[in-house]
Amino acid sequence: MHPAAAVCLVFGGCCSNVVFLELLARQFPGCGNIVTFSQFLFIAVEGFIFEANFGRKRPAIPMRYYLIMVAMFFTVSVVNNYALNLNIAMPLHMIFRSGSLIASMALGIIILKKRYSMSKYTSIALVSVGIFTCTFMSAKQVASDSGLNEEDGLHVFLWWLLGIAALTFALLMSARMGIFQETLYKRFGKHSKEALFYNHALPLPGFLLLAPNIYHHAVLFSQSEPFQIPVIGLTLPIMWFYLLMNVITQKPLLAPGLGDLAWGSGLSRDPKAVGTGENIRILGLQAKLGVSGFFSASLALLLSQEVQK
């Protein structure tokens, strides 16, 4: 795929996806579990039909390795979405996840004993400065908008710090998963579509632990105001429409050739990335995405505000 097309798909899919996620989270901040479940179910059903051939195709990588990967992937996805409950703004959430570059390089140096060129270290430094600046400004905003008295302000700020800790944990866990996946691909060959399917299908039973929360938000979504979809004329609750569009708009991020780009940039949950090796090889482009991510996140926030008016 041409790099320009890849960048357009990443930005188009990511910005539209984050707009609908923002609309969902603003109305119901605790809806992360139902969003995660819907995304997993969509990708699992699609993979079961087109990749697993209705269960008739045997996996190229032994299932025990997928179970380890799934445990990490499920944890990362749930923690990332749950961070929205902890006073983390959507632009900060989007930009902070670009720190996967930093985590991938750090763990690559520590675990795989890799060394990189000075240009790649410089790229990491630039992305790090951008993420730190955005986090610092978000902290100031939380402090200024955090209530009427000092005690309430401290309480909100501590929840925000917990949200930052959750995002940091998810970054490190996703980077570790990338290294684990890289070793698997070296041993068994690269089977990105297969990994995409199993990483989303196998965790589905785990959502039973979150079933009460998912059901509660499903009821709330069904009680939202009706919305008529243009062109087709179908009417459904507007929150279900937002959720449907959030699930559909992640599809461009799962297109062949975009896995490494999107995952490394923190713009997608696509597990097709092969780890630190290919992530770092396209680090120059990812650094540009990390810097531009600030503008795309801001644009997404503005668009979501306009949609709500």
Side-chain angles (χ1 to χ4, degrees):
M1 180 179 292
H2 193 277
V7 171
C8 289
L9 283 174
V10 168
F11 277 116
C14 180
C15 287
S16 56
N17 185 269
V18 82
V19 164
F20 291 107
L21 182 58
E22 173 80 7
L23 291 171
L24 290 164
R26 282 193 168 193
Q27 189 69 29
F28 299 108
C31 69
N33 291 330
I34 191 172
V35 173
T36 307
F37 172 71
S38 301
Q39 293 173 342
F40 273 55
L41 182 63
F42 173 79
I43 298 173
V45 170
E46 183 190 39
F48 182 73
I49 297 172
F50 297 105
E51 173 60 26
N53 193 17
F54 296 94
R56 291 192 290 265
K57 180 181 176 182
R58 294 178 60 85
I61 298 177
M63 194 60 64
R64 64 181 182 275
Y65 295 113
Y66 278 127
L67 291 175
I68 298 173
M69 196 186 309
V70 159
M72 294 187 283
F73 183 56
F74 180 78
T75 302
V76 168
S77 298
V78 172
V79 170
N80 267 327
N81 281 336
Y82 191 78
L84 294 173
N85 298 357
L86 303 173
N87 298 326
I88 298 296
M90 184 60 65
L92 176 62
H93 187 277
M94 181 178 174
I95 295 171
F96 199 92
R97 290 177 62 192
S98 297
S100 59
L101 292 167
I102 306 166
S104 293
M105 176 175 277
L107 292 187
I109 294 172
I110 296 172
I111 298 176
L112 301 180
K113 309 300 181 183
K114 292 193 173 188
R115 293 294 180 267
Y116 306 103
S117 66
M118 185 56 64
S119 63
K120 292 170 184 176
Y121 288 120
T122 303
S123 298
I124 284 291
L126 291 174
V127 174
S128 302
V129 169
I131 295 172
F132 174 79
T133 302
C134 181
T135 305
F136 178 74
M137 296 306 295
S138 178
K140 292 179 64 177
Q141 183 178 0
V142 168
S144 62
D145 299 341
S146 57
L148 301 177
N149 55 62
E150 184 175 348
E151 183 177 350
D152 289 340
L154 178 61
H155 179 76
V156 171
F157 185 71
L158 289 176
W159 277 111
W160 178 85
L161 286 178
L162 184 60
I164 294 295
L167 288 177
T168 302
F169 169 79
L171 279 180
L172 294 173
M173 180 67 77
S174 65
R176 182 64 185 89
M177 184 180 69
I179 292 175
F180 179 71
Q181 196 165 11
E182 182 176 359
T183 59
L184 289 183
Y185 284 173
K186 286 181 178 179
R187 182 176 175 182
F188 299 102
K190 185 176 179 181
H191 304 278
S192 57
K193 292 183 179 180
E194 177 184 293
L196 179 66
F197 165 62
Y198 284 106
N199 277 331
H200 287 83
L202 293 178
L204 288 178
F207 284 101
L208 291 174
L209 300 174
L210 308 172
N213 180 269
I214 293 173
Y215 176 76
H216 173 67
H217 282 90
V219 172
L220 293 177
F221 282 16
S222 298
Q223 294 172 349
S224 61
E225 61 181 282
F227 174 79
Q228 187 176 44
I229 302 177
V231 182
I232 64 176
L234 178 66
T235 300
L236 74 165
I238 193 168
M239 296 306 293
W240 283 113
F241 171 73
Y242 291 157
L243 180 61
L244 176 65
M245 294 305 297
N246 176 265
V247 171
I248 291 175
T249 52
Q250 72 175 335
K251 180 60 179 175
L253 297 176
L254 305 179
L258 289 183
D260 302 323
L261 178 61
W263 180 270
S265 303
L267 302 177
S268 168
R269 298 181 186 89
D270 181 3
K272 290 189 288 184
V274 299
T276 56
E278 292 193 18
N279 280 349
I280 298 302
R281 276 196 285 274
I282 55 174
L283 188 54
L285 178 58
Q286 289 175 326
K288 295 176 184 177
L289 287 176
V291 175
S292 302
F294 174 80
F295 298 102
S296 62
S298 302
L299 175 62
L301 180 58
L302 291 174
L303 287 174
S304 69
Q305 292 173 339
E306 290 299 321
V307 170
Q308 283 190 312
K309 290 181 180 179

